[in-house]
Amino acid sequence: MIRPPVVFFYFLLIMSDGLAANSKPRRSVSFQDMNLKQFKESGFGSLSSLMIREDVGQLVAGARGKVLALSLDDITKKTSEAKWTVRSADKALCQMKGKDTKDCDNFIRTLHTMQDGKMLVCGTNAFTPACDYMTFTNGKLSLEGKKLVGRGKVPFDPYQRFASLMDGNTLYSATSSNFLGTELVFQRHEPNPLKTEMKRSWFNEPTMISISLAEASKNSMDGEDDNVFLFFTESAVEERHDNIQVSRIARVCKGDLGGKMTLQRKWTSFLKARLDCPFGDAGSPALVQDAFLLRNQNNWRNSIFYATFTSNSESSGACSLSAVCAYKLSEISRVFSGRFLTERDTGSWDTYTGEEPFPHPGSCINNELRAQGVMTSLDLSDKTLLFVKNHLLMEAAVTPIAGKPLLVRTGTRFTKIVVDQITSPDGQRHQVMLIGTDSGWLQKAVRFDGEDGRIIEELQLFQTPQPVSFLQFSSKTGQLYSGANTVAVQVNVRNCSCYTSCDDCLLARDPYCGWDNIRRQCASVVGAPLGSIIQSLTNGDVWMCPMSELEKKPAVVHLITETAQFLPCYPETNLPISWRFSDSILPPGPRHTVLSQGLIIRPSFSDSGIYTCETVEMVKGRVHRRIVVQYFVQAQDTNALIRTMKAAVITLAVFTCVLMLLICNAPVIRELKARKLNHIGFGNEINNNNNNNTNTNNANNCMITVGLFCQGDQTVDRHMEEGLVYCDQAEEQN
């Protein structure tokens, strides 16, 4: 019968298997197994901004009261530091306004590079936002000391979400413009400042997410204007029920100059639409968390936004859902060229069916409009501008590519995302999604045509669970840079050393990696000579691999019949496992329980044999099995085992005594050999030489030791030259 602690252990194993996520990464790498670089130092806290400067080889980090420069090749090396603290008077005033002391500091929340190489640095400055210019010269950071107004460029609150973008020397920002953080505006700053209207139909309690620039003017035959996109969430004004949060995408034209009379110094091209990412329950809205634009240099309309979503902004843990959806810019442009919603007197929202002014409200200026005399937004009629002011919500929603997410994950909350594009040896381009989570893990995911998205591996970036707040990738170094509250990390996401065999390398279908037949290792395809690397990203075809070496012999284990015991199996991956008994798949039954960590077996005598634990992986309908461990099980009953153990103990003890006898009686043995005696009564010989042999006491001690294993009427017989010691029955005494 199994003891209660053992039963509880097996119960926990079974329960943990039942709770396993259905979209598990193929491989998980914990922090202690990560080969990453991290920057931590005393006093370094509240990391609030991060920027890559490939031109000077630096990672610039903004924190509480200072800016640091770290080597892009090795962020453990700090190259410079510039302090920017708050005056005591400003801090005291901040506290008088009811703010916490720790928040009345200068949190550096904006870092942008300008055309001349200078950096724009903005901080919360004790709830009085301020900006300055910074240079990196001769390996040293230095502030110019020009205290610029930061209102509307960064939030007052060091923890409020906001978004900003630098285009040349022009800053775009989406943030609060008041102390309470209740007035949120999307604006372009000098030299041609514009901003949104303070109307509920424009923004309704928004949370700003990110801003991106799509360079439509590049390679354009139509003289199209560049587009600036804003991602945010807000309470939907068009819904009949209040406080329904939805995801939005808004667009403005880079060349917008505002209106002449109507919408002066306001956006004339601001349009917004719902952003759909269908997953989870219909009543649980998908809320955008981050967006990344993967640009197509040949045709901007083929550029793709990748965005992370969570199903519920309030929940966390095992019940939460996350997804990645992708959107083509051509689809986004189609939605912004469509019909509008309008608010009725009853408060309901319906499709606008009246006459629309010319040109299409919110349109960017192109050659067609210029030919008709509309050179800039200043040439738009008041009729058009009034329509835009009151009708900026599109009827259609922006839907993702293929109408569904690229990836859905249960029990995880996605935060940040960047996408790297890699060219495989066959010339095909593949996108690798690098996704941060709120627990400090990085998901490396891909999606091939005709398949659902899959997570190749997940990497634990931080020793303690904390959200991934920053995520940036350098194509120059091939490194990913991330950060949380008190730490910045650098990790090589193109590392292929974790794949230890050819079949594992190919089955992982990692676009970064392929098998090098010459060096006999999984290696990066980046920079590899043509023809030196084999890959099979579409099919995971392991037949391309060379013949593998013979497997190791199975481990021999002895199990007690009718007693539940555990055979461990710990694969390097998170793939499901199956067990074979001899050459057949082991079905679950009363004597066998298959877990992800091993097998619980309650054997009978018929269960002796070879047990093989294998990982099972399905690629394009083909099943691939890899042996993890093998056991040769020998089942025996409890009584037989006890007898075997007793015999083993006796044999070991007797053998030990023989060694002691050999050591104690070396002179006697030499004397016996000199007499050429084959068999002697060793005990009698010792007794006869009590007075003459200096080893008598030691010999008697050895005799007593052997006697402990001979009971009752048994006597000890020794055959020294054969190396045998055993007990015989004593003859009866008359």
Side-chain angles (χ1 to χ4, degrees):
M1 190 171 187
I2 310 177
R3 290 174 295 175
V6 180
V7 174
F8 182 65
F9 169 71
Y10 294 146
F11 173 76
L12 288 178
L13 288 176
I14 295 170
M15 287 297 294
S16 65
D17 265 38
L19 295 174
N22 56 5
S23 55
K24 243 182 186 178
R26 187 178 186 273
R27 184 189 306 270
S28 300
V29 184
S30 59
F31 180 81
Q32 56 266 28
D33 296 324
M34 285 286 295
N35 183 23
L36 56 72
K37 295 180 173 66
Q38 65 173 353
F39 176 81
K40 291 181 73 174
E41 68 175 13
S42 178
F44 177 70
S46 300
L47 180 67
S48 48
S49 54
L50 205 64
M51 179 181 66
I52 290 176
R53 287 288 304 267
E54 290 183 336
D55 56 333
V56 293
Q58 299 294 310
L59 181 70
V60 185
R64 186 206 306 254
K66 58 185 174 182
V67 181
L68 302 92
L70 312 174
S71 170
L72 206 56
D73 294 325
D74 184 355
I75 67 167
T76 62
K77 300 175 182 177
K78 182 172 69 173
T79 56
S80 182
E81 177 181 320
K83 294 186 181 299
W84 187 8
T85 57
V86 175
R87 295 184 308 171
S88 56
D90 292 335
K91 184 172 289 191
L93 181 61
C94 174
Q95 294 172 19
M96 286 178 58
K97 292 179 180 179
K99 297 302 178 181
D100 195 287
T101 304
K102 70 178 189 309
D103 298 334
C104 293
D105 212 321
N106 190 25
F107 294 79
I108 310 300
R109 302 209 62 191
T110 290
L111 289 167
H112 288 300
T113 306
M114 305 179 72
Q115 285 181 322
D116 59 1
K118 288 184 180 180
M119 288 172 275
L120 178 67
V121 183
C122 299
T124 56
N125 193 43
F127 280 78
T128 310
C131 297
D132 199 352
Y133 295 114
M134 174 176 279
T135 59
F136 184 78
T137 308
N138 298 324
K140 184 179 179 181
L141 288 172
S142 56
L143 288 162
E144 290 190 354
K146 298 178 180 178
K147 198 170 182 180
L148 310 171
V149 175
R151 184 189 186 103
K153 297 175 182 175
V154 289
F156 288 67
D157 191 320
Y159 308 111
Q160 186 178 30
R161 288 201 69 166
F162 81 111
S164 64
L165 167 75
M166 181 68 77
D167 175 40
N169 290 333
T170 303
L171 178 69
Y172 295 81
S173 66
T175 185
S176 60
S177 60
N178 67 335
F179 180 83
L180 297 176
T182 55
E183 297 177 0
L184 289 106
V185 293
F186 172 42
Q187 57 187 318
R188 182 180 68 201
H189 301 272
E190 299 295 343
N192 297 305
L194 294 178
K195 63 181 180 178
T196 48
E197 282 272 10
M198 294 301 297
K199 291 183 64 176
R200 179 172 174 269
S201 59
W202 286 55
F203 282 134
N204 187 26
E205 300 177 357
T207 298
M208 306 304 186
I209 302 299
S210 70
I211 304 174
S212 296
L213 172 69
E215 297 177 305
S217 60
K218 280 190 175 181
N219 303 319
S220 173
M221 302 296 293
D222 301 322
E224 295 172 287
D225 193 7
D226 292 341
N227 291 185
V228 180
F229 292 96
L230 169 67
F231 290 83
F232 63 101
T233 64
E234 67 171 347
S235 295
V237 293
E238 71 274 24
E239 295 289 345
R240 294 185 181 274
H241 303 286
D242 293 335
N243 299 322
I244 294 180
Q245 293 289 305
V246 295
S247 297
R248 302 282 201 208
I249 179 172
R251 185 211 66 186
V252 295
C253 307
K254 178 179 173 179
D256 196 337
L257 298 177
K260 195 170 187 178
M261 298 293 292
T262 305
L263 293 178
Q264 289 184 4
R265 300 176 73 87
K266 301 292 195 307
W267 295 109
T268 67
S269 55
F270 183 86
L271 300 177
K272 66 179 181 178
R274 185 176 294 207
L275 191 67
D276 277 354
C277 184
F279 70 99
D281 299 331
S284 183
L287 301 182
V288 63
Q289 301 298 314
D290 193 25
F292 178 89
L293 179 60
L294 184 65
R295 294 179 172 85
N296 185 303
Q297 301 298 330
N298 299 320
N299 187 346
W300 74 276
R301 294 181 183 275
N302 292 332
S303 300
I304 296 175
F305 274 112
Y306 291 80
T308 53
F309 291 81
T310 58
S311 60
N312 190 326
S313 61
E314 302 299 326
S315 67
S316 62
C319 295
S320 61
L321 286 172
S322 289
V324 175
C325 278
Y327 307 89
K328 211 167 185 179
L329 258 62
S330 57
E331 167 64 12
I332 297 172
S333 297
R334 185 191 67 79
V335 170
F336 285 127
S337 299
R339 299 201 294 181
F340 298 86
L341 291 178
T342 186
E343 187 176 13
R344 304 297 182 189
D345 293 337
T346 59
S348 64
W349 287 73
D350 300 302
T351 302
Y352 179 80
T353 56
E355 181 183 358
E356 291 182 9
F358 176 85
H360 185 273
S363 295
C364 294
I365 307 299
N366 57 17
N367 289 342
E368 182 182 353
L369 292 180
R370 294 186 188 100
Q372 299 185 47
V374 182
M375 308 303 290
T376 70
S377 62
L378 295 172
D379 298 322
L380 296 172
S381 66
D382 283 342
K383 183 179 179 180
T384 299
L385 296 178
L386 283 171
F387 186 93
V388 171
K389 183 176 180 178
N390 299 308
H391 302 86
L392 45 81
L393 179 58
M394 310 310 298
E395 175 199 33
V398 177
T399 56
I401 295 173
K404 63 179 184 179
L406 301 179
L407 179 71
V408 178
R409 183 86 196 273
T410 304
T412 299
R413 290 176 56 79
F414 292 162
T415 55
K416 299 295 184 178
I417 182 171
V418 296
V419 180
D420 184 25
Q421 188 163 253
I422 193 78
T423 302
S424 59
D426 62 2
Q428 296 292 318
R429 288 188 173 183
H430 302 280
Q431 291 74 44
V432 181
M433 297 175 281
L434 304 167
I435 310 158
T437 74
D438 70 342
S439 58
W441 288 74
L442 179 78
Q443 319 275 307
K444 187 166 80 172
V446 294
R447 181 182 178 273
F448 300 112
D449 291 340
E451 298 183 51
D452 292 331
R454 52 190 292 271
I455 301 174
I456 301 171
E457 63 179 353
E458 62 175 358
L459 312 172
Q460 187 180 8
L461 298 181
F462 313 126
Q463 193 166 10
T464 57
Q466 49 189 318
V468 174
S469 302
F470 306 97
L471 207 60
Q472 296 193 29
F473 181 79
S474 169
S475 56
K476 184 176 181 180
T477 64
Q479 303 280 307
L480 186 81
Y481 303 89
S482 181
N485 185 42
T486 60
V487 61
V489 299
Q490 171 188 351
V491 59
N492 180 12
V493 292
R494 297 175 176 177
N495 178 33
C496 302
S497 62
C498 57
Y499 309 120
T500 55
S501 65
C502 179
D503 54 348
D504 188 31
C505 182
L506 296 193
L507 284 173
R509 296 193 292 158
D510 186 335
Y512 290 133
C513 302
W515 184 256
D516 189 327
N517 270 324
I518 298 175
R519 293 185 291 170
R520 299 181 64 81
Q521 66 182 29
C522 197
S524 173
V525 301
V526 180
L530 190 64
S532 65
I533 298 286
I534 58 174
Q535 268 188 331
S536 183
L537 300 181
T538 303
N539 300 315
D541 189 359
V542 297
W543 299 109
M544 302 170 66
C545 289
M547 292 293 292
S548 59
E549 297 179 359
L550 294 176
E551 301 291 339
K552 294 181 179 179
K553 292 183 179 180
V556 179
V557 294
H558 299 274
L559 302 182
I560 305 171
T561 57
E562 304 305 326
T563 301
Q565 289 138 104
F566 182 64
L567 296 179
C569 176
Y570 301 112
E572 295 178 349
T573 63
N574 296 323
L575 294 170
I577 65 172
S578 71
W579 286 81
R580 288 179 179 269
F581 176 50
S582 297
D583 290 326
S584 302
I585 297 294
L586 186 68
R591 297 199 309 274
H592 306 104
T593 303
V594 178
L595 307 174
S596 61
Q597 304 98 334
L599 175 70
I600 296 177
I601 179 172
R602 189 184 184 96
S604 66
F605 281 112
S606 61
D607 291 316
S608 295
I610 298 290
Y611 287 79
T612 304
C613 175
E614 303 169 318
T615 56
V616 182
E617 190 165 13
M618 181 79 72
V619 180
K620 292 294 182 69
R622 183 183 297 172
V623 178
H624 297 271
R625 298 178 178 274
R626 296 185 68 235
I627 295 177
V628 180
V629 66
Q630 279 188 321
Y631 297 99
F632 178 54
V633 171
Q634 294 180 337
Q636 52 190 344
D637 62 45
T638 308
N639 293 332
L641 180 64
I642 293 174
R643 289 195 298 270
T644 302
M645 292 178 65
K646 283 184 177 180
V649 170
I650 292 172
T651 302
L652 179 62
V654 172
F655 179 72
T656 302
C657 191
V658 169
L659 292 178
M660 293 174 64
L661 285 170
L662 290 174
I663 295 170
C664 296
N665 296 284
V668 176
I669 294 171
R670 286 196 296 271
E671 182 181 351
L672 290 173
K673 284 186 176 181
R675 299 177 185 179
K676 296 183 180 180
L677 295 177
N678 292 327
H679 305 284
I680 65 170
F682 194 64
N684 293 333
E685 184 70 22
I686 293 174
N687 290 332
N688 291 334
N689 290 280
N690 278 339
N691 296 325
N692 301 321
N693 194 334
T694 58
N695 293 300
T696 297
N697 292 334
N698 289 338
N700 285 335
N701 288 339
C702 292
M703 180 68 183
I704 293 171
T705 304
V706 175
L708 293 175
F709 298 100
C710 298
Q711 302 174 357
D713 55 357
Q714 293 178 322
T715 60
V716 179
D717 190 11
R718 303 175 185 78
H719 296 269
M720 294 303 299
E721 293 196 356
E722 287 85 359
L724 301 177
V725 178
Y726 54 88
C727 299
D728 283 335
Q729 295 295 328
E731 295 182 1
E732 289 187 11
Q733 301 294 327
N734 293 327

